Amino acid sequence: MKLTHIRTFSAAAAALACMSPALLMAQMVDNPSTYIMPSISVVDPDDRFNGGKNFNALGLRLGKAVSPSWDIQGGGTLGRSTQNGIRYEQATLGVDALYMFNRSNFRPFLLAGIGAQRDKLPTASATSPYLSLGAGFQVALSEQWFMQADLRRSRAYVRHNTFGADHLTTNSLNFGLSYYFDKPVRTQVAQYTPPPAPAPVVAPPPPPPPAAAPARFERVTLSATELFAFDSAQLRMPQTKLDEIAQVLGAGQYSGNVTVTGYTDRLGSDAYNQKLSQQRAEAVRNYLTSKGVAANRLTAVGKGETNPVVTCNDRKRADLINCLAPNRRVEVEEIVIERRVN
């Protein structure tokens, strides 16, 4: 490949990396759809053909992302030129594996390919297997369009020594415009709104006697739902709701026992989640006992990943963990007490 072509490829990559933010923010990441890519190439053939004079070739490929790191592309090219009245044609058909360094809007890659190459002169022709190596990049243009450029070197292995050599070397600079047949699937993230705190239940005061009015009381319902970090049974601070419940239980305003129930999200095995939910329930029970509540009045129960309050289907693990946060909780059952109203 001529030095000018290498400089052209480098300049194109630098220019695309500096394009406007509006273009590079196009949402074209991780589309699993099959895509089609017409292309144009500048080909530097083996010096045995046309004195090594460059020529243009047209191509068409089909491709698909088969994993977060790999694309597969297959197709062919066709090009011809005439030098000193001698016509030369070259056609290729093969498949390439592209290793993608990322799936952002600017995606550099390395490629390796295998296929068949047909070289034809007026006096001789041969179809030979070839191997190719190269590097390039893709730039997202929209949800369904992206541009690809690559620089590759191919070696064809000639059988029967047709052209006076056992191998032929070809360099090419390739540009393609690709179209995804389907738009990317957008995952809807479930939005969780915590339920409102139960309003205090106030009983109407008794009618006052003819003399001094008696003290009035109101019925109040207390409860708590505490959330935990992913894969953790560490209770967050401060805990104003648990402090209020501990004060009520310690002051004798409620004489019954209390059940503390722990839960996890659905990530992890059933056995592990059951153990983690029990640890979370015990963390809340231990906090209440540290505030003076008798341990025999508290029952800690772990229920694993049962009774979820949200359902999430995010594909990225970080987004899925964040969405499932409301399920990683401990619930303290409701406590109903009477308070004196001044």
Side-chain angles (χ1 to χ4, degrees):
M1 180 65 66
K2 303 297 189 291
L3 180 60
T4 55
H5 296 152
I6 297 176
R7 289 175 176 173
T8 300
F9 183 79
S10 301
L16 287 167
C18 299
M19 293 176 75
S20 66
L23 177 59
L24 292 183
M25 288 304 292
Q27 297 302 310
M28 185 41 254
V29 180
D30 288 340
N31 191 333
S33 170
T34 300
Y35 54 84
I36 188 170
M37 181 171 61
S39 64
I40 186 170
S41 306
V42 179
V43 182
D44 178 18
D46 194 283
D47 290 342
R48 297 175 183 82
F49 303 112
N50 284 2
K53 178 185 176 182
N54 293 350
F55 62 91
N56 295 329
L58 298 178
L60 184 65
R61 290 181 176 272
L62 289 176
K64 184 177 179 64
V66 296
S67 77
S69 299
W70 290 96
D71 272 24
I72 296 296
Q73 295 179 356
T77 63
L78 177 63
R80 59 172 62 101
S81 68
T82 302
Q83 178 75 355
N84 299 324
I86 299 176
R87 182 185 178 92
Y88 165 63
E89 295 182 2
Q90 184 188 85
T92 66
L93 182 65
V95 61
D96 297 328
L98 281 65
Y99 176 75
M100 314 300 297
F101 287 95
N102 61 61
R103 288 291 180 179
S104 62
N105 295 286
F106 181 79
R107 306 186 285 272
F109 62 81
L110 299 177
L111 70 86
I114 187 171
Q117 172 181 312
R118 179 172 177 79
D119 298 283
K120 183 178 180 182
L121 291 171
T123 58
S125 65
T127 300
S128 313
Y130 74 82
L131 298 175
S132 62
L133 295 173
F137 59 86
Q138 296 175 353
V139 176
L141 304 177
S142 72
E143 287 186 332
Q144 290 184 267
W145 291 93
F146 70 89
M147 189 278 286
Q148 177 174 308
D150 64 75
L151 184 66
R152 66 181 70 191
R153 183 179 182 89
S154 302
R155 172 165 287 197
Y157 297 89
V158 183
R159 291 173 290 182
H160 311 305
N161 206 22
T162 305
F163 299 108
D166 58 358
H167 66 267
L168 303 173
T169 301
T170 301
N171 302 307
S172 62
L173 179 62
N174 309 280
F175 297 92
L177 184 63
S178 300
Y179 174 76
Y180 286 97
F181 289 109
D182 301 316
K183 288 187 176 181
V185 177
R186 298 187 178 278
T187 303
Q188 298 296 326
V189 179
Q191 299 295 326
Y192 170 71
T193 302
V201 179
V202 181
R216 293 184 298 132
F217 294 85
E218 64 178 6
R219 293 175 63 84
V220 179
T221 300
L222 302 177
S223 66
T225 299
E226 303 301 326
L227 301 183
F228 287 77
F230 178 72
D231 197 25
S232 172
Q234 182 70 36
L235 192 62
R236 297 170 176 171
M237 298 298 166
Q239 292 292 336
T240 55
K241 288 186 178 180
L242 293 182
D243 290 341
E244 184 177 12
I245 291 174
Q247 182 180 7
V248 168
L249 296 177
Q253 295 177 271
Y254 181 78
S255 59
N257 295 333
V258 177
T259 299
V260 180
T261 308
Y263 298 90
T264 68
D265 58 33
R266 63 179 173 82
L267 303 179
S269 66
D270 292 344
Y272 181 80
N273 285 340
Q274 176 62 36
K275 180 179 179 182
L276 180 59
S277 66
Q278 183 68 34
Q279 292 173 345
R280 289 173 174 170
E282 290 174 355
V284 173
R285 182 186 63 182
N286 293 340
Y287 181 87
L288 292 175
T289 57
S290 72
K291 296 295 182 179
V293 181
N296 59 3
R297 299 184 61 190
L298 302 172
T299 301
V301 179
K303 293 190 176 181
E305 59 192 66
T306 61
N307 302 328
V309 295
V310 295
T311 301
C312 305
N313 297 301
D314 303 71
R315 293 193 300 177
K316 293 186 177 179
R317 184 173 178 82
D319 293 342
L320 180 60
I321 290 173
N322 184 60
C323 181
L324 291 173
N327 294 340
R328 300 188 290 271
R329 68 195 190 280
V330 169
E331 296 178 352
V332 180
E333 68 174 325
E334 292 184 350
I335 300 171
V336 181
I337 63 171
E338 288 188 345
R339 284 181 175 171
R340 185 186 183 98
V341 179
N342 297 326

